[in-house]
Amino acid sequence: MKLLRYGPRGQEKPGCLDAQGRVRALSAHVPDIAAAALLPDSIARLQALDIDSLPVVDGIPQDDLRLGACVGQVGKFICIGLNYADHAAESGLAVPPEPVIFSKWTSAITGPDDDILIPRGSVKTDWEVELGVVIGQGGAYIAESDAMAHVAGFCVINDVSEREYQIERAGTWDKGKGCDTFGPIGPWLVTRDEIADHDALRLWLEVDGHRYQDGSTATMVYKVPHLIAYCSRFMSLQPGDIISTGTPPGVGMGQKPQRYLAGGETMRLGIAGLGVQTQKVVNQG
């Protein structure tokens, strides 16, 4: 099932995508694609619905019908750094001996096709296509063998990053990761049962039609079950929390010469089976 949120910013309503690519309304069944609606029993109830009997929402999704972030009320936006060996190499860094965890602020979350705002004074705003894991059943000290039972589904994430803020300023990576609009999520949350092998998903990103990233989750260093178990040692995971699992090579920082985003450009990115995002880059005045 493909769950989504549609409508103007701040007024998004819950919905799902039918087999014809139309949005069907879910407001009569859940208040939002968030929190308790992502628990296993709730997902099962939604999957049991006759989708073709649900009200059709006017408009074409990602055209004249805006989609918001596919998860609402996100409590934690957890990110994993240097989780592809070839991306670590292009960054000039060693593969870490255990997962690198950092955060994106939830105020960075935006819709999959909303504009990306380059922060004032930024000269190194970069892109990162990533597989997002949405937690359904929460927990702490989750066993790796049980980890996938805690997953509601998967989604596309663009981990937009300001490299000067992240690397060259004092402090942690977080200040370069959580700027407003730096966390597009969606277009939809694809429930776990629809993804046959999350360890073999192709993911890619283009800027103005030029493909910079073209990789596969097969080359992730630390796989999804390990990441869930690992993160749950340091924090309890809650329904609706998101783990962004790292990016393959091809980021702007890794280009020779380095290449960063500029106002007026367009990013397009996607993951097989999870949909596509398109974002215009805008300079903040």
Side-chain angles (χ1 to χ4, degrees):
M1 192 172 195
K2 294 180 175 66
L3 300 171
L4 53 83
R5 300 168 70 246
Y6 65 91
R9 185 187 296 273
Q11 302 175 44
E12 292 91 348
K13 297 179 180 180
C16 62
L17 198 71
D18 70 15
Q20 291 73 43
R22 298 171 298 190
V23 172
R24 301 279 183 155
L26 284 174
S27 296
H29 302 277
V30 288
D32 198 359
I33 306 302
L38 296 169
L39 289 168
D41 287 350
S42 179
I43 293 286
R45 285 194 294 271
L46 293 176
Q47 291 175 320
L49 296 172
D50 177 7
I51 290 180
D52 291 337
S53 71
L54 298 173
V56 176
V57 177
D58 290 337
I60 300 170
Q62 299 189 275
D63 185 349
D64 58 349
L65 176 61
R66 176 188 177 271
L67 299 186
C70 60
V71 181
Q73 305 171 44
V74 176
K76 293 190 289 296
F77 195 169
I78 306 159
C79 298
I80 307 299
L82 303 173
N83 197 30
Y84 288 69
D86 33 13
H87 171 56
E90 74 172 352
S91 302
L93 298 168
V95 173
E98 55 186 276
V100 173
I101 301 176
F102 62 92
S103 296
K104 290 178 88 77
W105 318 127
T106 56
S107 53
I109 293 173
T110 191
D113 307 305
D114 292 341
D115 292 347
I116 300 299
L117 303 179
I118 295 182
R120 294 176 185 174
S122 165
V123 293
K124 295 185 178 181
T125 296
D126 203 348
W127 58 81
E128 295 189 12
V129 59
E130 304 201 1
L131 173 67
V133 178
V134 180
I135 298 298
Q137 183 68 53
Y141 300 101
I142 296 167
E144 190 168 334
S145 59
D146 297 332
M148 293 309 297
H150 292 260
V151 175
F154 301 94
C155 62
V156 181
I157 292 174
N158 189 355
D159 176 19
V160 185
S161 308
E162 212 298 342
R163 301 302 188 185
E164 182 188 22
Y165 301 174
Q166 175 193 354
I167 298 168
E168 299 173 31
R169 300 282 188 92
T172 65
W173 286 7
D174 302 325
K175 69 174 69 171
K177 292 288 190 171
C179 302
D180 290 354
T181 75
F182 273 24
I185 298 174
W188 27 76
L189 182 162
V190 181
T191 53
R192 187 180 74 240
D193 58 292
E194 288 202 10
I195 302 301
D197 187 0
H198 57 269
D199 285 334
L201 297 175
R202 179 168 164 260
L203 61 173
W204 54 271
L205 183 145
E206 299 172 349
V207 181
D208 281 354
H210 180 85
R211 184 156 297 192
Y212 286 96
Q213 291 189 276
D214 199 348
S216 169
T217 57
T219 65
M220 284 172 44
V221 177
Y222 299 106
K223 306 298 186 181
V224 170
H226 182 81
L227 294 175
I228 293 169
Y230 184 83
C231 289
S232 76
R233 298 179 199 171
F234 305 102
M235 68 199 86
S236 61
L237 298 177
Q238 310 294 334
D241 285 350
I242 296 172
I243 301 175
S244 197
T245 57
T247 197
V251 300
M253 183 175 64
Q255 304 301 308
K256 294 181 174 48
Q258 293 181 340
R259 190 256 198 251
Y260 295 107
L261 292 166
E265 293 181 326
T266 298
M267 285 185 285
R268 190 167 181 269
L269 58 145
I271 301 178
L274 300 181
V276 172
Q277 301 182 353
T278 304
Q279 295 126 15
K280 182 179 178 182
V281 181
V282 176
N283 287 317
Q284 287 200 80

